[in-house]
């Protein structure tokens, strides 16, 4: 039985939530991580949606994250059932090549790695799409859902990416703006 691999680029980086046998840090190609997906079930509510990351096609760019290996059939079934619920607002599943620093960008370390994507398709009713850094940060600072404050998601993502050596400009700019808003609110 072939192993199942899952690529995480958002909360899956710091919280897998399923049993895995290996975890590799690395990147996929031709995608960019963006805070364009609305979250009404984890980091916001239907009345006040939060924002979580999704992937947008971006030829030539790299998106850093982690790949989890799930070997045993029983573990794969449990992981898939769990992920289908957790990622239910992500309407697409793609299978991508995954690279590591060691293998470099020319030959994949793992092929056929599953990744959940929230697409701009009409069927994805929670998709919010692009907005200014200020607007995205403001929305994140004020949103909270069953999985906790949206700001915790943002700051955790920034921290874990930095620990992996990844300086994601989009994430860092939004986190900087969110810190400014929080400081402003605390000092007024
Ligand atoms: C992921 O982590 O790969 C998907 C997005 C999320 O759950 O934050």
């Amino acid at each position: 039985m072939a192993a199942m691999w899952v690529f995480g680029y958002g909360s899956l980086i710091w919280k897998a939530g399923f049993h895995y046998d290996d975890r590799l840090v690395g990147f996929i190609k031709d995608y960019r991580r963006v805070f364009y997906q609305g979250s009404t079930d984890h980091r916001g509510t239907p009345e006040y949606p939060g924002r979580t990351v999704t992937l947008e096609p971006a030829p030539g760019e790299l998106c850093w994250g982690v790949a989890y290996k799930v070997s045993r059939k029983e573990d794969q079934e449990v992981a898939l059932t769990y992920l289908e619920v957790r990622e239910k607002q992500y309407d697409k599943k793609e299978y991508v090549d995954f690279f590591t620093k060691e293998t470099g960008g020319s030959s994949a370390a793992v092929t056929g790695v599953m990744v959940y994507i929230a697409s701009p398709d009409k069927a994805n009713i929670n998709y919010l799409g692009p907005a200014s850094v200020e607007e995205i940060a403001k929305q994140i600072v004020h949103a909270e859902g069953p999985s906790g404050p949206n700001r915790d998601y943002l700051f955790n993502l920034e921290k874990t990416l930095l620990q992996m050596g990844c300086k994601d400009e989009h994430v860092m700019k939004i986190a900087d703006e969110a810190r400014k808003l929080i400081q402003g609110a605390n000092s007024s």
Side-chain angles (χ1 to χ4, degrees):
M1 170 104 200
M4 175 177 95
W5 286 83
V6 183
F7 180 66
Y9 56 92
S11 63
L12 285 174
I13 298 178
W14 68 87
K15 182 178 179 255
F18 54 85
H19 177 81
Y20 57 88
D21 310 291
D22 202 2
R23 179 184 186 271
L24 302 178
V25 171
F27 58 88
I28 62 170
K29 290 184 184 175
D30 301 327
Y31 280 105
R32 170 171 47 224
R33 178 183 4 249
V34 282
F35 265 97
Y36 291 177
Q37 173 66 0
S39 173
T40 60
D41 63 344
H42 282 299
R43 299 291 177 169
T45 59
E47 295 72 39
Y48 198 100
R51 276 186 183 253
T52 54
V53 284
T54 182
L55 295 177
E56 138 174 300
E61 293 196 32
L62 307 180
C63 176
W64 282 82
V66 296
Y68 295 104
K69 181 184 186 183
V70 186
S71 304
R72 291 184 342 142
K73 188 167 181 287
E74 307 85 272
D75 291 338
Q76 292 179 11
E77 282 166 6
V78 174
L80 266 179
T81 306
Y82 168 76
L83 286 169
E84 291 296 317
V85 175
R86 172 167 163 182
E87 304 295 328
K88 67 177 185 300
Q89 295 196 332
Y90 286 65
D91 59 318
K92 291 218 156 50
K93 257 196 314 225
E94 300 284 348
Y95 293 86
V96 294
D97 288 347
F98 175 82
F99 303 81
T100 61
K101 213 161 51 189
E102 292 72 34
T103 58
S106 49
S107 60
V110 192
T111 57
V113 179
M114 187 175 87
V115 58
Y116 287 87
I117 296 175
S119 80
D121 283 5
K122 266 209 194 87
N124 178 10
I125 53 164
N126 292 308
Y127 186 77
L128 292 171
S132 67
V133 166
E134 290 76 15
E135 271 176 77
I136 294 178
K138 196 169 153 200
Q139 189 170 359
I140 290 175
V141 164
H142 290 106
E144 175 154 8
S147 301
N150 203 176
R151 63 178 77 174
D152 289 0
Y153 177 100
L154 168 65
F155 296 139
N156 264 333
L157 182 58
E158 183 194 39
K159 187 175 83 188
T160 42
L161 287 174
L162 285 173
Q163 281 165 354
M164 283 163 37
C166 166
K167 289 187 177 162
D168 185 312
E169 242 185 69
H170 175 76
V171 174
M172 289 171 70
K173 273 190 191 156
I174 295 167
D176 280 344
E177 186 60 30
R179 275 185 286 270
K180 267 196 240 162
L181 289 172
I182 294 165
Q183 251 175 359
N186 287 344
S187 61
S188 66

